Amino acid sequence: MADLQDLERLLGDRLVRDASVLAELSHDSSRVGPEGAPRAAVRATSTADVSAALAWAHEHDVPVSVRGAGTGLAGGANAYPGGLVVSLADMTEIVEIDAANRTATVQAGVITAQLDARAREAGLFFPPDPASARTSTIGGNIATNAGGLRCVAHGVTNDSVAALVVVLADGRVMRTGARTRKNVVGYDLTSLFVGSEGTLGVVTEATVRLKPIPPGTPRTFRASFDTLEAAGSAVTAIVNGDAQPEVLELMDALSVEIIESFQPSGLTVPAGAMLVGQTVGLDAAAKAESITATCRAQGATETEISDTDALLEARRLSNPALNARGLKIGCDVGVPVAALAEVFHGIAEISERHGKRVSTVAHAGDGNLHSTVEAPDDAAGIAAADAVIDDITKLAISLGGTISGEHGIGSVKQHELPWQLDEAALDVQRAIKLALDPRGILTPGRGI
Amino acid sequence: MADLQDLERLLGDRLVRDASVLAELSHDSSRVGPEGAPRAAVRATSTADVSAALAWAHEHDVPVSVRGAGTGLAGGANAYPGGLVVSLADMTEIVEIDAANRTATVQAGVITAQLDARAREAGLFFPPDPASARTSTIGGNIATNAGGLRCVAHGVTNDSVAALVVVLADGRVMRTGARTRKNVVGYDLTSLFVGSEGTLGVVTEATVRLKPIPPGTPRTFRASFDTLEAAGSAVTAIVNGDAQPEVLELMDALSVEIIESFQPSGLTVPAGAMLVGQTVGLDAAAKAESITATCRAQGATETEISDTDALLEARRLSNPALNARGLKIGCDVGVPVAALAEVFHGIAEISERHGKRVSTVAHAGDGNLHSTVEAPDDAAGIAAADAVIDDITKLAISLGGTISGEHGIGSVKQHELPWQLDEAALDVQRAIKLALDPRGILTPGRGI
């Protein structure tokens, strides 16, 4: 381990070998365990630290896992046997809020909600809003091109990233992008690295775009439906209507039941599904009225408009509530929004065919679904649950959809890649990986 | 030329060898001439035609130039000596308008304005609006990640592209992206190919995102300023204000003079500059009032609001008006929008220092400037004009800007690449190019 001492001399106590700390830094929030015990971790506080770590790993052919807050759901940040963990959680500096250009420059370890809070002090906000925003880091959001609740109005993380500082596999530092709104100078490396799941380089700093806080008081709304299909049709009608929501989420009956038993907020469990959402702007109330009217026209049995955030809070509890119940196997599929009723119909069929209860929450306005099956924690139980999720994923693909809307591929969805990508696309992905990380040290075997 | 006969057998009269046709297909709309006479051109009508053409070129190591309508301004579509021209101008099918999912699927040779017109029949529109929209093709727009007038509200072409069909350098066909709003499955190949200027593959078909036509009657507005700096400050104030324009363009005094002498529309030439723009939505009139009030607060000497399109038409005439005057050398720089007053101040200094008149039009809301110097068509005249444009470009970079907002690098801006990209970024660009086009047949020596 003389080699590691070289790195230790450079990094001091930012190089960690304590087994209990390493254990904490070895897994994300997925059901998949780490591939093995790492030899050390670097708790980087600067781009230079990350550069030193990767240069060392590159020289010694040591596999590297990269992590922010470890909230990932695809096993992407899990450690490798004998590998090096690079943690960005201590890179928490908000370098600049540039209000006149509506950008913020932050280190990768900044918690997303903290960036948003700082932007709000300047009358701006950070549009991406993953459900994990209060715990996940902007670096992790960028690595997975995270989505969240506000995507229906503002797009995904990539739509809000202007420029990056990236450490390449051999330790060299590269800047991508520009602070300008338009920039056509060579290939769009910013978009290439956003969503690359730590396989091409390590993002250490980002310049992101902010938007002005809409004037007026936001409204939240909910609508209950007797069937999931009716709720799906309502979503398609809302998305194609004049009144555009900022947030449009769906919880099926089982999800509402699970959330209410985890932390009761007085929500009545619907027969089929509940839509919840938010409107913003000076006409927020009128838009909420218009959307709930659309819901009633599509068969909603009950609707409500509120000026509190309680309905969205319930939706945000979905993941904690599910986690509290033990092992679950889920998906992150997407479908074109006009296919929502059809995908819900198909999920009900799959549930019945497998004899397994499926709970589904959805970023409905985006057509992004998280269906979950609870599984006994044994091989047979997991295999049975996996079979349900595989069928739902194949259904989404057959409707023109995607195997991952916002969580990424990680190690969990490797086997699904050929379901969506053709052979030429897989070859191109591999060629890019090989070109930028020829020794294969960065998050090997995951992502693409 | 036996080899070419193989391709001719496959393509019939879609393989063109007529010298006068080849001459027409050998140059774009830049001042840069073709590098040489091509041996043949393929007027493709299908992805299979393009695949056959590239497979042949790959096998025989023949350089390929790719073109749509030839409206490019960076020399990117110019022919190579002994090369093959692949023209997509005959791939004009609008495959599908999917109103419920707000997407359109089109072949690469569809004229952008025709796509927009078809979308409007379904109550939708195609957001990107390059000044050349009535003549340029969607494939060319994608190859350069084109910008245009509506970017301030809707972003650049890449923001409206969901999925592509791409023919790779060796002739294989690849699909990228998905029709869903969110998709994190491997690297974002769609964004990589958008703006890649024909150097990584040939886009033959695209699925693009449409938006609903805003309700109400649009308003156009103009505001005249005594100085360019004051107009620049007004733009920064407007972009950071509550009333957001759909279009926000700037023409300096010389530009207005040139446009009026080309096709008079009664515009009074301002002392410094004129802003023109458009607002949309039910509150279009109120927003136009608010924006012109902001202009007056920033020193506008005269403002006007109209419900006709005449002001924008004048702006669209800028390029034809300049072209009618003979050789011009221009730039396509971008700056962060808060730096507009400063960049205009600097351009005035550069103009004075070089003793050359500079005319500037700008997609002001994006901070994207087209400054132009007229040049006598001889080596000394061109060199003197180039020196002015180089200084303006370096100024933009020094303000955190970009060497190209929307036209791309082509062959014209090759020497400027290191001004913006660091050595690591250039290496990564080259590594990607080498990985996807190892024989270097696709638009060699241009773009990156």
Side-chain angles (χ1 to χ4, degrees):
Chain A
M1 301 290 260
D3 295 327
L4 203 49
Q5 285 166 1
D6 295 344
L7 193 56
E8 199 161 23
R9 255 192 302 280
L10 277 172
L11 298 176
D13 62 5
R14 301 194 298 286
L15 187 88
V16 179
R17 302 208 215 189
D18 179 276
S20 63
V21 178
L22 290 181
E24 277 170 30
L25 296 177
S26 292
H27 59 87
D28 70 1
S29 300
S30 68
R31 69 184 164 94
V32 180
E35 294 182 15
R39 71 176 76 186
V42 172
R43 292 211 268 216
T45 59
S46 68
T47 298
D49 285 354
V50 176
S51 173
L54 296 202
W56 179 88
H58 190 254
E59 186 185 344
H60 299 285
D61 269 324
V62 172
V64 175
S65 59
V66 191
R67 58 184 292 114
T71 59
L73 294 169
N78 288 349
Y80 295 92
L84 186 69
V85 175
V86 172
S87 167
L88 304 164
D90 294 339
M91 291 189 66
T92 56
E93 193 188 346
I94 294 177
V95 180
E96 184 190 22
I97 303 281
D98 179 351
N101 288 309
R102 291 185 178 160
T103 60
T105 300
V106 296
Q107 286 188 319
V110 170
I111 301 289
T112 306
Q114 288 176 355
L115 161 60
D116 189 54
R118 278 289 298 278
R120 283 176 190 272
E121 292 171 13
L124 303 168
F125 74 104
F126 179 59
D129 178 34
S132 61
R134 288 171 204 168
T135 49
S136 64
T137 64
I138 185 67
N141 296 172
I142 288 171
T144 56
N145 193 11
L149 302 190
R150 289 195 292 245
C151 294
V152 63
H154 302 289
V156 293
T157 296
N158 191 38
D159 296 307
S160 293
V161 177
L164 299 173
V165 177
V166 179
V167 180
L168 298 171
D170 60 5
R172 281 182 305 161
V173 178
M174 169 178 80
R175 287 177 178 272
T176 75
R179 290 178 179 221
T180 52
R181 303 235 347 181
K182 298 151 98 177
N183 180 43
V184 200
V185 179
Y187 308 132
D188 181 356
L189 299 183
T190 307
S191 294
L192 183 64
F193 280 83
V194 175
S196 65
E197 302 190 54
T199 63
L200 296 180
V202 178
V203 172
T204 57
E205 190 179 296
T207 298
V208 299
R209 299 184 208 285
L210 307 174
K211 289 189 179 178
I213 299 172
T217 306
R219 295 295 191 285
T220 54
F221 60 84
R222 73 172 174 87
S224 295
F225 295 83
D226 280 346
T227 68
L228 256 167
E229 288 92 328
S233 297
V235 171
T236 305
I238 292 166
V239 168
N240 286 314
D242 284 338
Q244 287 298 300
E246 177 96 344
V247 173
L248 183 56
E249 299 285 314
L250 178 146
M251 299 178 281
D252 71 356
L254 182 53
S255 297
V256 178
E257 197 182 307
I258 289 169
I259 292 165
E260 276 294 300
S261 67
F262 176 69
Q263 191 169 306
S265 68
L267 279 184
T268 307
V269 176
M274 184 182 289
L275 295 181
V276 299
Q278 187 172 48
T279 53
V280 298
L282 292 174
D283 56 348
K287 284 193 282 196
E289 289 291 354
S290 167
I291 289 170
T292 49
T294 300
C295 288
R296 288 191 297 273
Q298 297 284 332
T301 52
E302 200 193 341
T303 63
E304 183 192 349
I305 296 174
S306 163
D307 53 11
T308 76
D309 197 42
L311 294 166
L312 296 185
E313 275 305 306
R315 166 66 185 87
R316 287 196 182 94
L317 288 173
S318 159
N319 218 31
L322 283 164
N323 284 334
R325 294 166 69 90
L327 188 64
K328 64 184 169 76
I329 310 240
C331 66
D332 171 38
V333 298
V335 294
V337 74
L340 274 172
E342 198 171 348
V343 77
F344 287 132
H345 183 75
I347 290 172
E349 276 187 354
I350 290 166
S351 167
E352 195 169 341
R353 177 151 38 88
H354 286 264
K356 289 271 183 197
R357 290 182 84 190
V358 175
S359 70
T360 298
V361 295
H363 305 302
D366 308 318
N368 182 201
L369 279 70
H370 302 307
S371 293
T372 303
V373 182
E374 295 180 14
D377 196 354
D378 57 53
I382 291 172
D386 274 338
V388 177
I389 293 302
D390 280 0
D391 278 357
I392 292 174
T393 305
K394 287 174 181 166
L395 168 67
I397 293 284
S398 76
L399 296 171
T402 176
I403 62 177
S404 181
E406 59 183 17
H407 296 168
I409 302 302
S411 54
V412 172
K413 302 190 192 81
Q414 286 289 319
H415 66 292
E416 300 174 5
L417 275 173
W419 301 353
Q420 181 169 345
L421 300 184
D422 57 38
E423 197 51 47
L426 286 167
D427 278 355
V428 167
Q429 306 266 0
R430 290 180 201 118
I432 292 169
K433 167 70 176 172
L434 188 65
L436 300 199
D437 178 20
R439 298 195 184 176
I441 64 157
L442 287 176
T443 316
R446 298 182 195 150
I448 64 122
Chain B
M1 301 288 260
D3 296 328
L4 203 50
Q5 285 167 2
D6 294 344
L7 192 57
E8 197 161 24
R9 254 192 303 278
L10 277 172
L11 297 176
D13 61 5
R14 300 194 299 287
L15 187 88
V16 179
R17 301 208 215 190
D18 179 275
S20 64
V21 177
L22 289 181
E24 278 171 30
L25 296 178
S26 292
H27 60 87
D28 70 0
S29 300
S30 68
R31 69 183 165 94
V32 180
E35 295 182 15
R39 71 177 75 187
V42 172
R43 292 211 269 215
T45 59
S46 67
T47 298
D49 285 354
V50 177
S51 173
L54 296 202
W56 179 89
H58 190 255
E59 186 185 344
H60 299 285
D61 268 324
V62 172
V64 175
S65 59
V66 191
R67 59 184 292 116
T71 59
L73 294 169
N78 287 350
Y80 294 92
L84 185 69
V85 176
V86 172
S87 167
L88 305 164
D90 294 338
M91 291 188 67
T92 56
E93 193 189 344
I94 294 178
V95 180
E96 184 190 21
I97 303 281
D98 179 351
N101 288 308
R102 290 183 179 163
T103 60
T105 299
V106 295
Q107 286 189 318
V110 170
I111 302 290
T112 306
Q114 289 175 354
L115 161 60
D116 188 54
R118 277 288 298 279
R120 284 177 189 273
E121 292 171 13
L124 302 168
F125 74 105
F126 179 57
D129 178 33
S132 61
R134 288 171 203 167
T135 48
S136 64
T137 64
I138 186 68
N141 296 172
I142 287 171
T144 56
N145 194 11
L149 302 190
R150 289 195 291 244
C151 294
V152 64
H154 302 289
V156 293
T157 297
N158 191 37
D159 296 307
S160 293
V161 177
L164 298 173
V165 176
V166 179
V167 180
L168 298 172
D170 60 4
R172 282 182 305 161
V173 178
M174 169 178 81
R175 288 177 178 272
T176 75
R179 292 178 178 219
T180 51
R181 302 236 346 181
K182 297 151 99 177
N183 180 43
V184 199
V185 180
Y187 307 132
D188 180 357
L189 298 183
T190 307
S191 294
L192 182 64
F193 280 83
V194 175
S196 66
E197 302 190 53
T199 63
L200 296 180
V202 178
V203 172
T204 56
E205 191 179 295
T207 297
V208 299
R209 299 185 207 285
L210 307 174
K211 288 190 179 177
I213 298 172
T217 306
R219 295 295 190 286
T220 54
F221 59 84
R222 74 172 174 86
S224 295
F225 295 83
D226 281 345
T227 67
L228 256 169
E229 290 91 327
S233 298
V235 171
T236 305
I238 292 165
V239 168
N240 286 314
D242 283 339
Q244 286 298 300
E246 177 95 343
V247 172
L248 183 56
E249 299 285 314
L250 178 146
M251 300 179 280
D252 71 357
L254 182 53
S255 297
V256 177
E257 197 182 308
I258 289 170
I259 292 165
E260 276 296 298
S261 68
F262 176 71
Q263 191 169 305
S265 68
L267 278 185
T268 307
V269 176
M274 184 182 289
L275 295 181
V276 299
Q278 186 172 49
T279 54
V280 298
L282 292 174
D283 57 348
K287 283 193 283 195
E289 289 290 354
S290 167
I291 289 169
T292 49
T294 300
C295 288
R296 288 190 297 274
Q298 297 285 333
T301 53
E302 199 194 341
T303 63
E304 182 193 349
I305 296 174
S306 162
D307 53 10
T308 77
D309 198 39
L311 294 166
L312 295 186
E313 274 306 306
R315 167 66 185 89
R316 287 197 182 93
L317 288 173
S318 159
N319 218 34
L322 283 164
N323 284 334
R325 294 166 69 89
L327 188 64
K328 63 183 170 74
I329 310 240
C331 67
D332 170 40
V333 299
V335 294
V337 75
L340 275 172
E342 199 172 347
V343 78
F344 287 132
H345 183 75
I347 289 171
E349 275 187 353
I350 290 166
S351 167
E352 196 170 338
R353 176 151 39 89
H354 287 264
K356 289 271 183 197
R357 292 181 85 191
V358 175
S359 69
T360 298
V361 296
H363 306 302
D366 308 319
N368 182 200
L369 281 69
H370 303 306
S371 294
T372 303
V373 182
E374 295 181 12
D377 198 353
D378 56 53
I382 290 172
D386 273 339
V388 178
I389 292 302
D390 280 0
D391 278 357
I392 292 174
T393 305
K394 286 173 181 167
L395 168 67
I397 293 283
S398 76
L399 296 171
T402 177
I403 62 177
S404 181
E406 58 183 17
H407 295 168
I409 302 303
S411 54
V412 172
K413 301 190 193 81
Q414 287 289 319
H415 66 293
E416 300 174 5
L417 274 173
W419 302 354
Q420 181 169 344
L421 300 183
D422 58 37
E423 197 49 48
L426 286 168
D427 278 355
V428 167
Q429 306 265 0
R430 292 181 200 118
I432 292 170
K433 167 71 177 173
L434 188 64
L436 300 199
D437 178 21
R439 297 194 185 177
I441 64 156
L442 287 175
T443 317
R446 298 182 196 150
I448 64 120

